[in-house]
């Protein structure tokens, strides 16, 4: 058997191992060299690409900035350039958020302020009401002529005797006619005194009223001594804008003179060709047009701090006869009136609604004037038409009432029907005493009186 030489084998193995190690070292070194050569080049490429992208963004930003700067230079009178940056945008966002928060807080505060004002108004109303005697409450429900209060003829002044009478009979308002109105100076002084006396005696404004419709019913404009613009008949108004201007014009000179309540506009829809009482006082035969024009006219008056009155509920334009002289009626049914005549009274906000003395037998069942009808005022006007404002009668000294009812009876029936204000009873003292007696007798509850007087006081305080 041949002997193996392990010494020689170990030497060969050692050499082989050394050779392998060297090859590995050389290979690794070569790879590292290649990587070092490639890496700077790649990084440079990456840097170049990023730089190029940044340059493009900078270019766009610069262009945008130049455009904004140019625009701002044109818009800003100071010639200052406003540069918009990301930080400024963030500031703007923060400012906008702050403004929105402040706006929301302001709106909430305004809502609370309105509520507080309403609460304050109601508190004032109750304070005044609670201090009033029954008699004082009832007198507030009357608007009369200065002659009725002072037992004078063609009253053109407001003196101490007026104040003395007002202390005894603190009525809700005074209505003035042509014979009371001589010129600007006289009228202004008379109304100023009346207003002052009302504050001294009643602690609140008085309704200072006039019929100033325009056209043939204009106590002021038809007197050349006043030199005010004359507004023509409503029949010739051609748009809501013209109607507003008519109300605005009339309201301006009424306010200047010292009035605060105008018995206008006429909201009657002419549906009966035989009607001569209203005629050209109406805006026309179309219910929608009459509604729109009456509302615009009213807004014109309100713009000059003059209260308006929609008249004559439930619509005098469909009647035959003249309530000034006596009986006037319409045979229309409720449904028929709802198609036209009632439309203007069912739309829009109204300070006051005046009820006519006309009869509607097919609705009421008899010839009771609407002024004295619970069905027409409380059920239809307040109920069906949802009207919560002041209701006033037409003049109670007109033939339809005066020829058929005693003043006290008519006043009691009107209150029971739901009216708040009784205009010009045939005998004021008898009418007022009749209502007072009806309360004492239990025919009318004092709470019913309070309901109307609250409305009256609230409206007066809102005028201040």
């Amino acid at each position: 058997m041949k002997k193996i030489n392990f010494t020689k084998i170990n030497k060969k193995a050692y050499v082989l191992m050394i050779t392998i190690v060297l090859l590995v070292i050389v290979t690794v070194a070569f790879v590292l060299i290649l990587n070092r050569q490639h890496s700077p080049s790649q990084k440079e490429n990456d840097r170049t690409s990023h730089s190029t992208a940044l340059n493009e963004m900078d270019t766009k930003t610069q262009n945008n900035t130049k455009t904004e700067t140019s625009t701002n230079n044109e818009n800003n009178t100071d010639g200052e350039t406003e540069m918009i940056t990301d930080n400024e945008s963030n500031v703007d966002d923060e400012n906008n958020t702050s403004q929105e928060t402040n706006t929301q807080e302001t709106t909430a505060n305004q809502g609370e302020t309105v509520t507080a004002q309403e609460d304050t108004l109601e508190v004032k109303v109750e304070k005044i009401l609670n201090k009033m005697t029954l008699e004082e409450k009832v007198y507030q429900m009357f608007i009369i002529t200065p002659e009725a209060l002072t037992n004078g003829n063609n009253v053109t002044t407001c003196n101490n005797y007026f104040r003395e009478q007002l202390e005894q009979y603190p009525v809700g308002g005074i209505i003035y006619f042509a014979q009371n109105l001589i010129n600007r100076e006289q009228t202004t002084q008379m109304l100023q005194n009346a207003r002052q006396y009302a504050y001294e005696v009643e602690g609140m404004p008085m309704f200072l009223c006039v019929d100033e419709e325009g056209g043939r019913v204009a106590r002021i404009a038809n007197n050349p001594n006043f030199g005010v613009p004359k507004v023509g008949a409503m029949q010739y108004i051609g748009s809501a804008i013209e109607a507003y201007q008519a109300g605005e014009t009339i309201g301006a000179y009424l306010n200047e003179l010292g009035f605060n309540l105008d018995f206008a506009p006429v909201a009657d829809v002419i549906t009966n060709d035989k009607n001569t009482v209203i005629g050209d006082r109406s805006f026309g035969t179309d219910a929608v047009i009459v509604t729109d024009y009456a509302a615009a006219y009213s807004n014109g008056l309100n713009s000059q701090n003059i209260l308006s009155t929609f008249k004559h509920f439930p619509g005098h334009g469909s009647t035959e006869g003249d309530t000034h002289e006596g009986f006037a009626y319409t045979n229309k049914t409720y449904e028929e009136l709802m198609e036209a005549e009632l439309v203007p009274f069912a739309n829009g906000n109204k300070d006051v609604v005046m009820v006519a003395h006309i009869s509607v037998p097919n609705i009421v069942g008899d010839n009771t004037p609407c002024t004295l009808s619970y069905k027409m005022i409380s059920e239809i006007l307040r109920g069906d038409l949802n009207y919560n404002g002041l209701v006033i009668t037409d003049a109670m000294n007109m033939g339809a009432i005066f020829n058929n009812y005693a003043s006290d009876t008519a006043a009691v029936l009107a209150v029971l029907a739901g009216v708040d204000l009784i205009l010009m009873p045939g005998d004021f003292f008898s009418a007022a005493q009749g209502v007072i007696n009806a309360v004492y007798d239990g025919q009318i509850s004092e709470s019913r009186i309070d309901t109307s007087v609250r409305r009256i006081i609230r409206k007066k305080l809102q005028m201040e």
Side-chain angles (χ1 to χ4, degrees):
M1 181 176 180
K2 188 178 180 179
K3 187 178 179 178
I4 300 173
N5 188 342
F6 288 100
T7 301
K8 290 181 179 180
I9 292 174
N10 288 339
K11 287 181 179 179
K12 289 180 180 180
Y14 180 76
V15 172
L16 179 61
M17 289 174 62
I18 293 299
T19 301
I20 292 171
V21 170
L22 289 176
L23 287 174
V24 170
I25 291 172
V26 171
T27 301
V28 171
F30 182 76
V31 170
L32 289 174
I33 291 172
L34 289 177
N35 285 339
R36 286 178 181 176
Q37 290 177 347
H38 170 73
S39 184
S41 176
Q42 183 64 39
K43 288 181 179 178
E44 184 62 31
N45 288 338
D46 293 342
R47 185 182 295 113
T48 300
S49 297
H50 183 63
S51 177
T52 301
L54 288 175
N55 287 336
E56 289 177 354
M57 292 175 65
D58 289 341
T59 300
K60 289 180 181 180
T61 301
Q62 290 172 1
N63 289 337
N64 290 338
T65 301
K66 289 179 181 178
T67 301
E68 291 167 357
T69 301
S70 176
T71 302
N72 289 332
N73 281 335
E74 292 175 358
N75 292 337
N76 294 336
T77 55
D78 294 335
E80 297 178 353
T81 302
E82 297 181 0
M83 301 295 291
I84 301 176
T85 65
D86 290 341
N87 288 336
E88 289 173 333
S89 297
N90 291 334
V91 171
D92 288 341
D93 289 341
E94 293 175 1
N95 288 338
N96 289 335
T97 302
S98 176
Q99 289 175 357
E100 289 175 1
T101 301
N102 291 335
T103 299
Q104 291 173 353
E105 292 176 352
T106 300
T107 301
N109 291 336
Q110 288 175 344
E112 292 174 359
T113 300
V114 170
T115 302
Q117 289 174 345
E118 290 175 348
D119 290 343
T120 302
L121 175 62
E122 294 308 314
V123 169
K124 289 181 179 179
V125 170
E126 292 303 316
K127 281 185 177 180
I128 293 175
L129 182 67
N130 291 335
K131 291 180 180 180
M132 298 172 73
T133 65
L134 170 63
E135 287 75 12
E136 289 171 336
K137 294 176 187 177
V138 171
Y139 293 138
Q140 275 296 304
M141 297 176 69
F142 285 86
I143 293 180
I144 60 177
T145 65
E147 291 82 5
L149 183 65
T150 63
N151 294 311
N153 293 313
N154 299 336
V155 175
T156 57
T157 62
C158 185
N159 51 30
N160 287 332
Y161 182 65
F162 179 96
R163 189 186 190 285
E164 292 173 4
Q165 288 296 97
L166 193 63
E167 287 179 338
Q168 189 171 355
Y169 308 101
V171 294
I174 301 291
I175 178 172
Y176 296 91
F177 287 88
Q179 68 267 20
N180 308 119
L181 311 170
I182 307 304
N183 54 47
R184 282 178 175 270
E185 183 178 0
Q186 168 267 333
T187 299
T188 302
Q189 187 62 57
M190 179 176 64
L191 297 181
Q192 181 179 331
N193 289 350
R195 184 166 56 252
Q196 178 182 337
Y197 294 151
Y199 271 107
E200 292 173 357
V201 173
E202 303 176 5
M204 57 184 167
M206 169 185 284
F207 291 131
L208 299 173
C209 318
V210 68
D211 282 305
E212 193 75 11
E213 300 173 6
R216 56 189 162 106
V217 180
R219 318 302 186 195
I220 307 295
N222 288 338
N223 183 339
N225 292 334
F226 286 92
V228 300
K230 295 190 69 172
V231 174
M234 297 302 102
Q235 175 182 325
Y236 305 107
I237 296 290
S239 68
I241 293 176
E242 288 182 25
Y244 179 91
Q245 292 171 342
E248 183 181 40
T249 298
I250 292 172
Y253 65 72
L254 290 184
N255 178 270
E256 182 181 347
L257 292 169
F259 292 99
N260 53 37
L261 174 55
D262 187 11
F263 291 137
V266 170
D268 299 310
V269 182
I270 299 296
T271 59
N272 183 359
D273 294 337
K274 297 180 180 179
N275 184 291
T276 58
V277 177
I278 303 302
D280 63 0
R281 298 165 62 192
S282 168
F283 290 106
T285 60
D286 186 291
V288 174
I289 289 177
V290 172
T291 299
D292 292 344
Y293 290 11
Y297 182 107
S298 174
N299 290 338
L301 286 176
N302 291 163
S303 74
Q304 303 301 312
N305 298 317
I306 301 295
L307 300 178
S308 66
T309 307
F310 279 60
K311 61 184 187 184
H312 308 80
F313 175 85
H316 217 309
S318 62
T319 63
E320 293 185 22
D322 186 351
T323 53
H324 291 84
E325 304 299 330
F327 189 70
Y329 69 94
T330 175
N331 283 322
K332 287 196 172 185
T333 65
Y334 176 56
E335 290 73 22
E336 289 173 331
L337 287 181
M338 283 296 291
E339 292 177 358
E341 286 82 2
L342 293 180
V343 173
F345 299 99
N347 295 279
N349 296 322
K350 305 166 185 63
D351 300 314
V352 185
V353 166
M354 179 180 286
V355 182
H357 303 312
I358 63 176
S359 298
V360 284
N362 285 329
I363 300 176
V364 175
D366 55 34
N367 290 326
T368 301
C370 290
T371 324
L372 312 181
S373 171
Y374 181 88
K375 182 174 184 62
M376 292 305 299
I377 296 174
S378 294
E379 293 184 7
I380 293 179
L381 178 58
R382 292 214 185 275
D384 297 352
L385 303 185
N386 198 31
Y387 176 66
N388 295 315
L390 288 171
V391 174
I392 187 171
T393 69
D394 205 341
M396 299 288 273
N397 62 0
M398 293 165 64
I401 299 295
F402 188 74
N403 295 340
N404 299 289
Y405 301 88
S407 294
D408 55 351
T409 301
V412 169
L413 291 175
V415 173
L416 289 172
V419 303
D420 302 307
L421 291 161
I422 299 170
L423 177 65
M424 296 169 57
D427 184 333
F428 159 61
F429 302 104
S430 173
Q433 193 59 52
V435 175
I436 293 169
N437 291 341
V439 176
Y440 285 134
D441 294 342
Q443 187 178 359
I444 299 174
S445 67
E446 188 165 358
S447 64
R448 165 66 192 88
I449 300 297
D450 289 348
T451 297
S452 285
V453 178
R454 278 193 186 91
R455 290 194 188 104
I456 293 167
I457 297 173
R458 186 179 300 113
K459 184 59 69 174
K460 287 186 172 186
L461 294 182
Q462 289 172 341
M463 295 192 305
E464 293 182 317

